[in-house]
């Protein structure tokens, strides 16, 4: 994409220009406002028909990344910084990282849980290495505090042993099985019969991480366009056309008429890293085979914070994994605040538009604490009544439901769908944060082979 200030005016919202080096304060202010006073070109003669391209303004771009979550941002940084590609990132939100990327445990995973040979296993182990180095080199707040996965009864010990064997097969270093009394020397408030110690697990300030990645990408010419929703597209010959609209117009859509396309982007390369809405966006690209697009499954998870007591733990504490998640676990932020979660609540009936605009219910009902207390007391019997307060919630972009087995990340390139220059990323749930830099390496290799 040419390095000029453009692209479109969407209901008084403008695409963010390529900035020169700025202070973090300036970047935060710019991103918060999501508006610039400098516009090179305005979109005129906006059509009211989605795929009638004759009267809709078109813009050619080198690379389009859909979604400004941690993975989309990291892909943009990889392509622009390491490969010199001009990248345009679009997101329907008003700022980066508002979806799953900011509504998770903020844990750097070791790579224990995932089947050997899976993308989750390889990306997590490689991504952990890259992430720790990136954070250390740029002084991004993080801490390698270690994790204990605990068996609270004898029936869980075989599952714990299986996790250790799996982690070793995945190349995770430093794993060690502990007896219960050893674990309690590390964490006196902990109850367990055995524990698996993972020294390479840690925590990270995910917002500072994303802000750093955005800054690096922008410094190499990447443009971020917020309040900009992808509503569909089409494949014409060897050309990909992506239709976009302002988020406000999409939010006000009546559900009956055609969606309004305000601009057509014609990119050489496209990365669909839209997270929760990635499958829905793919389904709206005409010419992309429906058979290769997985069905979306959504699993909501709530977190509760521990109040009115000193932090009882110094390390991450995880139970044996459950269907749909890793169990209600203990995580800490960099200030030592303890959080418990997430649980698993399967949700249905999500239409395209709510997913495009991240219009999910993120409220946390106080009554859900009644389910948290017994789950937590299995490994933390000293938890006092009334000490849990509602925290936040997130949605996992899953590809399998409650009665189905776990699935791997899906990274779809031309070898699957037959379309040159397009990569779809589906089901990028945990360990997506840890894996983000490894995913970016992999996506770049697919696009530039």
């Amino acid at each position: 994409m040419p390095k000029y200030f453009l692209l479109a005016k969407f209901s008084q919202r403008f695409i963010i220009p390529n900035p020169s080096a700025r202070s973090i304060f300036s970047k935060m202010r710019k991103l918060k406002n999501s508006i610039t006073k400098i516009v090179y070109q305005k979109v005129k003669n906006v059509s009211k028909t989605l795929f009638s391209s004759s009267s809709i303004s078109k813009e050619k771009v080198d690379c389009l990344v859909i979604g400004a979550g941690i993975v989309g941002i990291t892909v943009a940084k990889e392509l622009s910084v390491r490969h010199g590609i001009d990248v345009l990132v679009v997101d329907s939100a008003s700022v980066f990282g508002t979806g799953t990327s900011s509504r998770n445990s903020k844990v750097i995973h070791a790579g224990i849980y995932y089947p050997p040979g899976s993308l989750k296993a390889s990306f997590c182990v490689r991504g952990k290495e890259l992430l720790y180095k990136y954070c250390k080199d740029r002084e991004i707040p993080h801490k390698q505090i270690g994790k204990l996965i605990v068996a609270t009864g004898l029936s869980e010990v075989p599952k714990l042993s299986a996790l250790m064997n799996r982690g070793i097969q995945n190349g995770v270093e430093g794993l060690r099985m502990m007896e219960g009394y050893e674990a309690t020397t590390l964490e006196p408030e902990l109850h367990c019969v055995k524990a698996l110690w993972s020294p390479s697990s840690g925590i990270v300030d995910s917002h500072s991480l994303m802000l750093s990645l955005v800054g690096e990408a922008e410094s190499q010419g990447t443009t971020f366009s917020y309040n900009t929703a992808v509503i569909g597209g089409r494949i014409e010959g060897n050309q990909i056309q992506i239709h976009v609209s302002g988020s406000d117009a999409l939010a006000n859509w009546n559900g009956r008429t055609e969606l309004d396309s305000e601009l057509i982007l014609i990119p050489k390369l496209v990365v669909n890293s839209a997270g929760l809405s990635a499958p829905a966006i793919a389904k709206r690209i005409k010419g992309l085979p429906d058979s290769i697009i997985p069905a979306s499954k959504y699993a909501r998870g709530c977190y509760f914070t521990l109040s009115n007591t000193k932090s009882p733990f110094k390390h991450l504490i995880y139970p044996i994994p459950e269907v749909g998640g890793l169990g209600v676990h203990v995580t800490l932020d960099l200030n030592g605040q303890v959080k418990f979660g997430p649980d698993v609540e399967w949700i249905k009936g999500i239409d395209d538009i709510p997913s495009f605009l991240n219009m999910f219910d993120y409220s946390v009902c106080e009554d859900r604490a009644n389910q948290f207390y017994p789950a937590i007391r299995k490994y933390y019997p000293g938890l006092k009544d009334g000490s849990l307060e509602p925290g936040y919630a997130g949605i996992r972009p899953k590809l399998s439901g409650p009665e189905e087995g776990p699935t791997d990340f899906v990274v779809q390139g031309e070898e699957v769908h037959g379309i040159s220059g397009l990569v779809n990323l589906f089901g990028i749930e945990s360990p997506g944060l840890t894996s983000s830099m490894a995913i970016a390496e992999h996506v770049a290799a697919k696009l530039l082979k």
Side-chain angles (χ1 to χ4, degrees):
M1 185 181 66
K3 293 182 178 178
Y4 45 49
F5 299 113
L6 46 93
L7 274 164
K9 177 182 179 181
F10 291 144
S11 303
Q12 304 304 315
R13 295 175 315 281
F14 298 93
I15 285 180
I16 300 299
N18 298 333
S20 57
R22 292 184 175 94
S23 67
I24 286 180
F25 174 79
S26 296
K27 288 179 183 176
M28 289 296 291
R29 182 175 58 187
K30 181 197 69 173
L31 294 174
K32 181 179 179 181
N33 292 340
S34 188
I35 189 169
T36 180
K37 296 179 180 179
I38 305 173
V39 177
Y40 178 86
Q41 176 181 349
K42 299 180 181 181
V43 170
K44 299 178 181 179
N45 301 321
V46 172
S47 170
K48 296 298 181 182
T49 305
L50 180 58
F51 291 115
S52 176
S53 59
S54 59
S55 60
I56 304 176
S57 293
K58 298 180 180 180
E59 295 289 348
K60 291 184 177 180
V61 297
D62 283 351
C63 178
L64 174 67
V65 174
I66 305 170
I70 181 62
V71 173
I73 292 169
T74 308
V75 168
K77 179 259 184 187
E78 176 77 10
L79 292 171
S80 60
V81 174
R82 294 193 62 187
H83 299 282
I85 296 174
D86 289 313
V87 182
L88 169 65
V89 183
V90 298
D91 197 288
S92 62
S94 60
V95 73
F96 61 82
T98 61
T100 305
S101 298
S102 60
R103 296 177 172 275
N104 55 63
S105 298
K106 299 171 179 60
V107 166
I108 301 174
H109 288 286
I112 296 169
Y113 299 99
Y114 321 107
S118 66
L119 293 180
K120 285 184 176 180
S122 60
F123 287 168
C124 186
V125 173
R126 170 64 175 162
K128 173 186 62 178
E129 174 188 342
L130 294 172
L131 184 54
Y132 273 130
K133 184 178 188 306
Y134 185 89
C135 291
K136 181 180 178 181
D137 291 348
R138 291 156 180 80
E139 298 183 344
I140 293 168
H142 72 289
K143 191 177 292 185
Q144 189 174 327
I145 60 176
K147 174 166 70 175
L148 289 165
I149 306 174
V150 298
T152 57
L154 293 175
S155 64
E156 293 182 332
V157 171
K159 297 177 181 179
L160 196 64
S161 298
L163 283 176
M164 180 173 180
N165 292 335
R166 178 172 283 187
I168 291 171
Q169 291 180 66
N170 290 341
V172 181
E173 298 179 350
L175 297 178
R176 184 166 74 88
M177 194 70 75
M178 291 181 174
E179 297 296 333
Y181 71 88
E182 293 181 90
T184 56
T185 61
L186 286 177
E187 295 288 5
E189 295 290 334
L190 180 64
H191 165 76
C192 65
V193 296
K194 276 198 172 185
L196 176 59
W197 170 241
S198 170
S200 64
S201 302
I203 54 177
V204 64
D205 181 341
S206 59
H207 185 80
S208 293
L209 171 63
M210 288 189 284
L211 185 60
S212 175
L213 292 164
V214 166
E216 286 196 37
E218 286 182 327
S219 71
Q220 295 301 311
T222 293
T223 301
F224 284 80
S225 174
Y226 301 105
N227 297 303
T228 307
V230 172
I231 60 173
R234 68 187 306 144
I235 311 299
E236 289 192 352
N238 61 353
Q239 188 180 83
I240 305 171
Q241 297 188 0
I242 299 297
H243 295 243
V244 299
S245 174
S247 295
D248 286 353
L250 193 58
N252 295 325
W253 182 53
N254 60 22
R256 297 184 301 274
T257 60
E258 290 276 10
L259 285 172
D260 291 344
S261 177
E262 299 184 54
L263 179 69
I264 295 176
L265 297 173
I266 305 175
K268 298 175 184 175
L269 306 173
V270 179
V271 181
N272 176 10
S273 56
L276 293 165
S277 61
I281 286 174
K283 288 177 182 177
R284 285 180 173 268
I285 299 177
K286 294 186 176 182
L288 191 62
D290 289 341
S291 60
I292 58 94
I293 304 171
S296 297
K297 309 290 175 66
Y298 301 104
R300 189 170 177 271
C302 295
Y303 291 84
F304 280 79
T305 60
L306 186 64
S307 64
N308 301 322
T309 184
K310 182 181 178 182
S311 175
F313 300 112
K314 298 178 180 178
H315 307 90
L316 302 166
I317 310 294
Y318 277 58
I320 297 297
E322 62 182 3
V323 175
L326 300 180
V328 174
H329 52 259
V330 176
T331 186
L332 300 93
D333 62 24
L334 291 160
N335 296 318
Q337 173 69 51
V338 172
K339 301 186 293 288
F340 296 97
D343 58 354
V344 178
E345 177 189 4
W346 296 95
I347 56 178
K348 299 179 180 180
I350 304 299
D351 295 328
D352 288 357
I353 302 307
S355 73
F356 288 172
L357 299 179
N358 195 26
M359 295 169 61
F360 293 91
D361 180 7
Y362 288 114
S363 62
V364 179
C365 178
E366 288 188 37
D367 291 345
R368 291 195 76 81
N370 296 330
Q371 302 173 36
F372 274 63
Y373 281 105
I376 296 167
R377 282 172 176 153
K378 291 179 181 178
Y379 56 82
Y380 176 32
L383 179 64
K384 296 179 181 179
D385 287 340
S387 58
L388 295 181
E389 293 185 351
Y392 59 93
I395 310 290
R396 305 171 182 89
K398 303 186 77 67
L399 301 180
S400 59
E403 305 302 324
E404 303 164 330
T407 56
D408 200 5
F409 292 152
V410 173
V411 182
Q412 272 185 2
E414 182 180 2
E415 74 282 358
V416 175
H417 50 59
I419 299 167
S420 176
L422 171 65
V423 171
N424 285 315
L425 299 175
F426 299 134
I428 311 297
E429 53 170 336
S430 179
L433 172 61
T434 307
S435 302
S436 57
M437 293 186 179
I439 293 172
E441 282 186 337
H442 187 73
V443 168
K446 272 187 175 295
L447 289 174
L448 305 177
K449 62 183 180 180

